[in-house]
Amino acid sequence: MTAARSSEAERLLTLAAEHMLAHGVSQLSLSQLARAIGSNNRMLLYYFDSKEALFAAALRRAYEGMPAEGALLAHLQRPGDLRAQLGEAWRLLRAPENVPYIRLFFEAFGTAVRDPDGNRSQLTDIAAVWPREFQRAFVVHGYPEGDAEAATSRLLALWRGLQFALLEGVDTDTLDDTHDRAVAALFPA
């Protein structure tokens, strides 16, 4: 890809990610997205080959901008008190600046689950990063590989449920208390 083509593709990708973050993805067509970002279907397909490829790349770009993600994952992979780190990481995740990303995650995940054949890349990308990183974190904290995988499933179930409750409007004090009690039960010292 030439530098000019690459530059234009990056510009369109950034605009698509910003639009998806602000307006969501359910019922979003390629034509609607093209109009919203000042382009057209042919140009988007020229740069990204398919709607699926564009949407997957735009979602990845949006998630890269999530304020807490890098710090959260790095935080969990440091040696130390696992339960305290999980509490701190949860509080980073549920911070108000991350709520639009959480909302987009659930919407994109729901869209991908409804039509997995048409959204295979989205489903794979959405579901892949955190489990891999969480499993590494549990290994750092002394969990054998198989136990780390099971612990990752428990943590993801907890956090996804709490994120859903956050989007429903449950207050953060209640969510934090629920989190801390669940972590104490799920990950005994």
Side-chain angles (χ1 to χ4, degrees):
M1 189 181 288
T2 66
R5 183 176 175 197
S6 176
S7 173
E8 180 62 6
E10 286 298 311
R11 184 185 78 77
L12 291 170
L13 186 59
T14 298
L15 290 171
E18 290 170 355
H19 180 80
M20 289 176 169
L21 189 59
H23 302 285
V25 294
S26 67
Q27 307 300 315
L28 181 63
S29 70
L30 185 63
S31 298
Q32 290 168 327
L33 180 60
R35 279 191 305 277
I37 65 174
S39 187
N40 62 57
N41 290 15
R42 273 198 284 202
M43 288 306 288
L44 293 178
L45 293 174
Y46 172 75
Y47 288 117
F48 300 100
D49 297 324
S50 70
K51 175 187 171 188
E52 179 185 353
L54 169 60
F55 278 39
L59 288 169
R60 271 193 305 277
R61 175 66 54 89
Y63 295 140
E64 288 169 2
M66 185 176 183
E69 185 168 16
L72 182 150
L73 296 174
H75 186 77
L76 288 177
Q77 293 181 5
R78 291 188 337 240
D81 180 350
L82 174 62
R83 289 170 21 174
Q85 288 175 339
L86 288 171
E88 292 164 9
W90 160 250
R91 285 159 177 81
L92 284 171
L93 175 60
R94 62 93 171 133
E97 62 269 18
N98 294 309
V99 171
Y101 298 88
I102 294 169
R103 185 175 293 112
L104 181 61
F105 167 82
F106 278 102
E107 185 179 2
F109 190 80
T111 299
V113 168
R114 177 170 293 281
D115 179 18
D117 292 332
N119 297 288
R120 181 65 49 207
S121 296
Q122 282 178 238
L123 194 55
T124 302
D125 287 352
I126 290 169
V129 175
W130 281 15
R132 183 179 58 244
E133 296 300 322
F134 288 176
Q135 195 163 343
R136 285 186 192 142
F138 282 112
V139 169
V140 165
H141 289 281
Y143 283 65
E145 199 67 38
D147 293 345
E149 187 176 345
T152 294
S153 293
R154 290 191 304 270
L155 180 61
L156 284 171
L158 173 63
W159 279 12
R160 286 180 178 155
L162 291 172
Q163 289 173 76
F164 193 75
L166 178 68
L167 294 177
E168 288 179 303
V170 176
D171 71 276
T172 56
D173 290 338
T174 300
L175 294 175
D176 292 350
D177 181 61
T178 301
H179 177 271
D180 296 344
R181 288 174 187 262
V183 163
L186 292 171
F187 309 106

